[in-house]
């Protein structure tokens, strides 16, 4: 069972406003199983040692909604640490409050490419967020991509990915991670989503 929603309130107490700080960005994915029997959660974090040039500062610029405001979900869509900008995972969601998704038309599932539609919409949201923070795709240095059907969808995902990045210049480094639950269901927070992407950008990259 995908337990991200169950752990979110406790996460907020220790890693968010309950602890007096903006919560970190987050991508929450299911996986088939962990190496430790009966383990339910593993956390992979970046830590910031603050100094005069590096403070954790939340940015709400360029986003269409904030997850805490809309659904009381405890993560920050964007955080600055000096010249580095860390972006939480985004998916093809048109309306976060009512969970309206951007997908291929249900009546024409074989005419449109759902993975390409979702990849392009997700990157539209991320591009808007970058531009709201005076950045662009050229500033992105790393991308993490989570695919529910990694083997099935990778070729079509790669087509959309190339279309997005070819006008920009060199592509960022990319981590591609399959995400499925033990029972075979998709590993995203909502079954309709088959790709999620988070980005790290640097102010001076591409300038």
């Amino acid at each position: 069972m995908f337990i991200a929603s169950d752990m979110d309130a406790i996460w907020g107490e220790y890693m968010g406003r309950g602890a007096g700080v903006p919560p970190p960005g987050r991508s929450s994915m299911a996986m088939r199983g962990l190496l430790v029997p009966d383990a339910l959660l593993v956390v992979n974090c970046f830590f910031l040692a603050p100094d005069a040039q590096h403070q954790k500062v939340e940015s709400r610029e360029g986003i269409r909604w904030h997850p805490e405001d809309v659904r009381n979900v405890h993560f920050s869509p964007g955080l600055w640490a000096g010249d580095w900008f860390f972006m939480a995972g985004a998916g093809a969601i048109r309306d976060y409050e009512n969970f309206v998704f951007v997908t291929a038309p249900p009546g024409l599932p074989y005419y449109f490419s759902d993975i390409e539609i979702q990849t392009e919409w997700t990157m539209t949201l991320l591009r808007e967020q970058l531009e709201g923070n005076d950045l662009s795709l050229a500033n992105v240095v790393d991308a993490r991509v989570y695919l529910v059907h990694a083997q099935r969808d990778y070729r079509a995902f790669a087509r959309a990915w190339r279309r997005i990045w070819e006008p920009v210049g060199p592509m960022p480094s990319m981590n591609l991670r399959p995400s499925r639950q033990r029972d075979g269901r998709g590993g995203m927070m909502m079954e309709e989503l088959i790709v999620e992407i988070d980005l790290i950008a640097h102010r001076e990259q591409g300038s």
Side-chain angles (χ1 to χ4, degrees):
M1 180 182 293
F2 197 15
I3 61 168
S5 59
D6 299 330
M7 67 86 181
D8 183 69
I10 297 172
W11 177 266
E13 291 180 18
Y14 288 91
M15 300 289 286
R17 306 197 195 280
V21 295
R26 193 175 75 199
S27 295
S28 301
M29 304 297 155
M31 55 197 310
R32 289 187 177 274
L34 299 173
L35 292 177
V36 178
D38 299 323
L40 298 177
L41 177 70
V42 62
V43 179
N44 182 20
C45 294
F46 286 104
F47 289 88
L48 172 66
D51 58 25
Q53 288 77 41
H54 301 89
Q55 301 288 329
K56 188 168 76 168
V57 178
E58 182 181 25
S59 172
R60 292 178 172 236
E61 302 300 325
I63 59 175
R64 300 191 184 193
W65 57 78
H66 193 289
E68 287 189 308
D69 296 344
V70 176
R71 300 197 67 87
N72 197 33
V73 179
H74 301 292
F75 68 89
S76 297
L79 286 171
W80 281 102
D83 288 331
W84 293 93
F85 189 55
F86 296 86
M87 306 170 72
I93 304 176
R94 189 187 304 275
D95 178 351
Y96 191 67
E97 183 174 8
N98 299 300
F99 287 150
V100 178
F101 307 98
V102 179
T103 62
L108 295 168
Y110 306 113
Y111 187 80
F112 294 92
S113 171
D114 205 17
I115 185 64
E116 292 185 64
I117 290 171
Q118 290 201 22
T119 298
E120 290 171 352
W121 181 266
T122 300
M123 288 301 298
T124 294
L125 295 178
L126 293 171
R127 184 186 290 112
E128 290 175 358
Q129 188 178 0
L130 286 165
E131 292 172 352
N133 286 275
D134 295 322
L135 300 169
S136 71
L137 290 178
N139 294 106
V140 176
V141 296
D142 186 66
R144 285 179 289 189
V145 179
Y146 304 86
L147 293 181
V148 170
H149 304 287
Q151 293 176 320
R152 183 195 74 182
D153 287 340
Y154 177 75
R155 181 176 296 179
F157 162 79
R159 285 198 300 267
W161 195 249
R162 283 194 299 271
R163 285 198 301 270
I164 292 164
W165 291 100
E166 280 177 352
V168 178
M171 294 185 184
S173 61
M174 183 180 72
N175 244 308
L176 181 67
R177 305 179 183 185
S179 181
R180 293 190 68 75
Q181 300 181 63
R182 183 175 296 173
D183 62 7
R185 291 184 299 162
M188 308 296 177
M189 287 294 292
M190 284 71 75
E191 289 288 334
E192 291 84 353
L193 298 181
I194 55 176
V195 60
E196 185 163 325
I197 301 168
D198 64 59
L199 303 175
I200 300 174
H202 190 268
R203 200 189 306 273
E204 301 304 320
Q205 172 73 17
S207 61

